[in-house]
Amino acid sequence: MSELICNELAKSYSHFQLYPTSFQLESGYLTVLAGKNGSGKSTLLRCLAGIDPACTGDVTLDGISLKKEPDSYKDQIGYVSEELTYFMEKSALENGELLGPYFSNWSMERYYTLMDRMNFSPSKQLWQLSKGEYMKMQTCFALAHHPRFLILDEPLEGFDPVFRKNFLSIMQDILNEDVGIFISSHITETLKKLADYLLSMSRIFLSSFSFISSKNAVGFCCPRSLPKAWYTLPRSTWKVFSNSTASSPISALPLSTLPAAWMP
């Protein structure tokens, strides 16, 4: 089992600030990151992936620090985002041949296998791809170097409903390999049967859950594995996944606060 620990991760822009955020994820589970536009989901994922070096705080993966050992850390992280660029004038196959060997556990055979399973043509130049095809290519590339955690920023939006089912089947296989998956998405109905945890981000004051924060409030719930009666339990019985802080509280959310689609 691998553990991804986010410790006081923060990022400031002229128009937005991701306030210090802390939480812990375990491999073998799929966690959905939800929140309104502008709540900081993509910013958080970029910081977790090590794409934005200007973030403060730190992330560790099995003791490997993003700040102290960035190359070793990134070697164990797979990141998928529409904002991420490759060699756009080259094909997916050429990108694999050029960039893949920079990862210690890269497998060209696995890259081929995943592209075939996603019904993706490796010969197209990347600039010719639709958003959905680009997400397929990136997911194949990210998984081809055997990451311990896969971080996906809104990958489902470009997929048609038929392929979404195939994609979730692939994600289930990845979970069975004890890889952790952290995915942001607005399409929660598609993910409800596969997701283990929901992490929600907002900029509101969650006083009903004893959160001492008016910034990026974060909480966990488990929509799939807990009985319906769980949300009726007193607050003292809620499981705390990591130590709460004033700037970034982490605690379980009662299922009664979630949309009906997330009820078990």
Side-chain angles (χ1 to χ4, degrees):
M1 182 188 71
S2 296
E3 289 185 334
L4 183 72
I5 301 175
C6 177
N7 184 25
E8 297 291 294
L9 204 59
K11 170 68 179 180
S12 295
Y13 297 96
S14 59
H15 61 287
F16 173 80
Q17 183 169 358
L18 175 69
Y19 290 87
T21 303
S22 301
F23 57 88
Q24 179 176 324
L25 303 176
E26 293 181 355
S27 61
Y29 295 94
L30 187 148
T31 302
V32 177
L33 178 63
K36 295 181 179 179
N37 290 335
S39 61
K41 299 188 301 298
S42 293
T43 300
L44 176 59
L45 295 186
R46 284 196 300 270
C47 292
L48 284 175
I51 300 300
D52 194 337
C55 295
T56 60
D58 199 7
V59 191
T60 59
L61 175 53
D62 291 343
I64 302 173
S65 167
L66 170 60
K67 294 296 184 180
K68 297 178 181 178
E69 305 172 82
D71 292 339
S72 297
Y73 175 89
K74 293 177 185 179
D75 191 49
Q76 304 299 328
I77 294 289
Y79 179 56
V80 176
S81 170
E82 186 180 15
E83 299 176 354
L84 194 61
T85 58
Y86 289 73
F87 292 113
M88 303 305 290
E89 75 284 357
K90 297 186 180 298
S91 68
L93 177 61
E94 291 172 320
N95 271 273
E97 293 172 339
L98 289 169
L99 299 175
Y102 285 94
F103 294 91
S104 61
N105 294 318
W106 172 259
S107 170
M108 201 69 187
E109 181 180 357
R110 182 174 170 87
Y111 191 39
Y112 276 120
T113 300
L114 288 164
M115 287 191 290
D116 182 64
R117 186 171 177 184
M118 292 196 186
N119 195 27
F120 175 78
S121 174
S123 60
K124 274 188 177 182
Q125 292 181 322
L126 299 193
W127 67 268
Q128 297 176 312
L129 302 180
S130 65
K131 178 179 179 179
E133 289 175 324
Y134 193 41
M135 292 296 100
K136 288 181 181 181
M137 175 268 165
Q138 286 196 43
T139 303
C140 294
F141 184 92
L143 291 172
H145 66 84
H146 296 90
R148 298 186 200 176
F149 274 86
L150 179 64
I151 299 173
L152 306 105
D153 190 4
E154 297 285 356
L156 299 179
E157 287 190 340
F159 297 156
D160 61 73
V162 175
F163 179 75
R164 285 176 192 164
K165 294 182 179 180
N166 183 32
F167 182 79
L168 294 182
S169 176
I170 295 172
M171 292 299 101
Q172 180 62 73
D173 291 343
I174 299 305
L175 291 172
N176 293 340
E177 296 176 4
D178 197 33
V179 175
I181 300 177
F182 193 29
I183 176 172
S184 68
S185 179
H186 295 293
I187 310 175
T188 56
E189 181 66 25
T190 301
L191 290 167
K192 69 175 183 178
K193 292 183 179 179
L194 187 61
D196 294 292
Y197 299 107
L198 171 69
L199 189 155
S200 62
M201 296 186 66
S202 67
R203 306 174 85 179
I204 63 174
F205 182 68
L206 297 180
S207 57
S208 60
F209 306 114
S210 299
F211 286 170
I212 312 173
S213 175
S214 59
K215 311 303 182 184
N216 299 90
V218 184
F220 269 101
C221 72
C222 184
R224 186 178 65 175
S225 60
L226 295 176
K228 290 183 179 180
W230 180 76
Y231 67 86
T232 66
L233 298 177
R235 188 177 309 169
S236 60
T237 66
W238 297 352
K239 181 179 179 182
V240 177
F241 286 80
S242 65
N243 293 331
S244 296
T245 66
S247 60
S248 178
I250 305 292
S251 181
L253 296 181
L255 295 183
S256 57
T257 67
L258 299 175
W262 280 98
M263 294 295 289

